[in-house]
Amino acid sequence: MSDDHHSGDHDNHDHESDDEGRVTSPMQDFTMGQVTTGFIVLVVGVALTFGVPFLLT
């Protein structure tokens, strides 16, 4: 048998016991500043994706 076989208590998961305060990303609110940052990143990405090849032709 290989040495990477793990034996022990697999039912004890202490890191999963504190799920009450957890919030997932789609449920979180976001600020107008975060929307602005995302829009600026979008504009720069579109400019690099389509603008640079257009200028090189």
Side-chain angles (χ1 to χ4, degrees):
M1 188 179 299
S2 65
D3 291 334
D4 61 348
H5 179 72
H6 299 288
S7 62
D9 185 15
H10 293 287
D11 294 331
N12 186 10
H13 299 284
D14 291 335
H15 61 278
E16 294 178 3
S17 63
D18 189 27
D19 287 341
E20 293 177 11
R22 183 175 170 199
V23 178
T24 58
S25 292
M27 295 169 45
Q28 293 176 343
D29 294 333
F30 45 87
T31 66
M32 200 60 188
Q34 291 171 324
V35 172
T36 304
T37 302
F39 184 72
I40 291 170
V41 169
L42 171 70
V43 170
V44 170
V46 169
L48 288 175
T49 302
F50 296 107
V52 172
F54 180 73
L55 291 175
L56 293 177
T57 58

